[in-house]
């Protein structure tokens, strides 16, 4: 296991779904410019992800199709380029990481972003997860606490044409009340408990995906749902390891 990791799956069950992988590969071919030298590696990664399912959650075909179009190599430092399409987290500087692609696919699947949805991400990092969400949702708001990372990610997302992503620097524990309420919230750093401000900013019917637990031990990826009456339900999805949610809160 990669000790740098932001999000490593400790256990996962492999399932065959060859037809889905074939469809994804065809979709990726259609969406990839012919001169992209990373296209084949991206297709192979997405095909690999398409065969995985943990905790009975089948990764969304729409999520995988979008991941087949997002150039992960543009979100990693030059020193990590050759690893960009490996299914593992990578260092992005400042002691932070871009999450493992499998975890990005799983969290996005659980968050169920749909066209027209407003989604909040906590922990912009490289901007990769925000780009994946942007391919599925109407508008994405993303908060990063480390200024240099947030600034680079914002510039990168703009350069790549992700016009429906808005970023800001701040402590994501408090959410983004002015931009909410949100249909989905994806937290990409581990909190010791689910932040109450984020629950408040979830719409009825909304989904939040968040790693919860101590930074010293394995954490649990949680799916938190607010039902139509405003009641909150949560379930444990699987053990993960993320960098901690920092900040003065
Ligand atoms: C695993 S990395 C994020 C990966 C990112 N989503 C990506 O796609 O590259 C976690 C990020 O959360 C940020 N972070 C930690 N605590 C935070 C907080 N309280 N508010 C906002 N961002 C925070 C870290 O600085 C780090 O960039």
């Amino acid at each position: 296991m990669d000790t740098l990791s932001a999000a490593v799956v400790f256990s996962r069950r492999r399932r065959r779904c060859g037809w889905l992988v074939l469809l994804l590969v065809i979709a990726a071919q259609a969406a990839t410019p012919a001169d992209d030298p990373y296209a084949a590696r991206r297709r192979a990664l997405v095909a690999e992800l398409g065969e995985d399912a943990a905790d009975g959650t089948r990764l969304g075909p729409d999520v995988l199709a979008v991941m087949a179009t997002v150039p992960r190599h543009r979100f990693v430092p030059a020193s990590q380029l050759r690893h960009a399409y490996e299914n593992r987290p990578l260092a992005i500087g400042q002691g932070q990481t871009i999450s493992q692609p499998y975890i990005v696919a799983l969290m996005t699947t659980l968050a169920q972003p749909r066209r027209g949805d407003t989604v909040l991400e906590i922990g912009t990092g490289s901007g990769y997860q925000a780009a994946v969400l942007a391919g599925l949702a109407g508008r994405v708001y993303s908060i990063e606490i480390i200024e240099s990372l947030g600034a680079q990610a914002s510039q990168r997302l703009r350069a790549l044409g992700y016009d429906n992503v808005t970023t800001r620097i701040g402590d994501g524990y408090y959410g983004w009340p002015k931009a909410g309420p949100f249909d989905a919230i994806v937290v990409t750093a581990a909190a010791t408990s689910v932040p109450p401000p984020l629950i408040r900013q979830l719409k009825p019917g909304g989904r939040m995906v968040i790693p919860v637990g101590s930074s010293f031990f394995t954490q649990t990826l949680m799916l938190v749902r607010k039902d139509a009456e405003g009641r909150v339900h949560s379930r444990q999805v699987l053990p993960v390891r993320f960098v901690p949610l920092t900040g003065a809160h």
Side-chain angles (χ1 to χ4, degrees):
M1 187 175 309
D2 185 338
T3 51
L4 278 172
S5 76
V8 179
V9 178
F10 282 71
S11 67
R12 53 186 189 181
R13 205 151 36 94
R14 296 184 72 81
R15 264 192 205 166
R16 292 275 143 199
C17 52
W19 61 271
L20 174 61
V21 173
L22 182 65
L23 281 178
L24 289 167
V25 169
I26 292 168
Q29 269 167 337
T32 304
D35 58 352
D36 181 350
Y38 293 92
R41 279 188 251 172
R42 188 162 53 246
R43 279 199 295 276
L45 171 63
V46 170
E48 183 189 332
L49 298 181
E51 293 184 355
D52 283 336
D55 190 50
T57 305
R58 178 74 55 86
L59 299 178
D62 53 343
V63 174
L64 293 173
V66 165
M67 288 180 69
T69 69
V70 179
R72 192 172 189 249
H73 63 279
R74 299 285 299 272
F75 292 84
V76 302
S79 59
Q80 301 283 6
L81 259 186
R82 66 187 187 286
H83 303 300
Y85 293 102
E86 293 171 13
N87 186 19
R88 62 183 176 99
L90 298 170
I92 56 171
Q94 308 286 335
Q96 303 303 322
T97 52
I98 177 173
S99 299
Q100 180 187 358
Y102 176 77
I103 284 289
V104 173
L106 178 63
M107 291 178 81
T108 309
T109 297
L110 293 168
Q112 291 182 281
R114 291 179 281 250
R115 279 281 150 242
D117 277 2
T118 303
V119 177
L120 175 67
E121 182 200 17
I122 308 302
T124 316
S126 68
Y128 178 75
Q129 170 76 78
V132 172
L133 291 167
L136 294 154
R139 177 141 290 278
V140 177
Y141 292 88
S142 183
I143 307 175
E144 170 58 51
I145 202 163
I146 299 177
E147 191 163 359
S148 59
L149 288 181
Q152 280 170 36
S154 165
Q155 206 173 19
R156 185 178 289 134
L157 288 161
R158 256 202 321 275
L160 291 169
Y162 290 100
D163 301 330
N164 58 340
V165 182
T166 309
T167 63
R168 78 168 172 84
I169 306 300
D171 185 348
Y173 177 92
Y174 301 103
W176 197 327
K178 282 190 178 151
F182 302 98
D183 298 283
I185 299 179
V186 175
V187 183
T188 67
T192 49
S193 58
V194 181
L198 298 185
I199 294 180
R200 283 197 291 276
Q201 289 167 45
L202 203 55
K203 281 184 190 173
R207 295 81 48 198
M208 174 170 15
V209 188
I210 178 169
V212 177
S214 154
S215 47
F216 302 108
F217 300 102
T218 298
Q219 305 131 7
T220 303
L221 189 65
M222 307 279 303
L223 174 61
V224 179
R225 290 174 175 277
K226 190 182 268 186
D227 68 23
E229 283 72 45
R231 286 183 300 253
V232 176
H233 310 267
S234 63
R235 81 168 169 90
Q236 302 184 353
V237 180
L238 83 171
V240 288
R241 183 188 292 171
F242 276 77
V243 293
L245 191 75
T246 58
H249 63 262

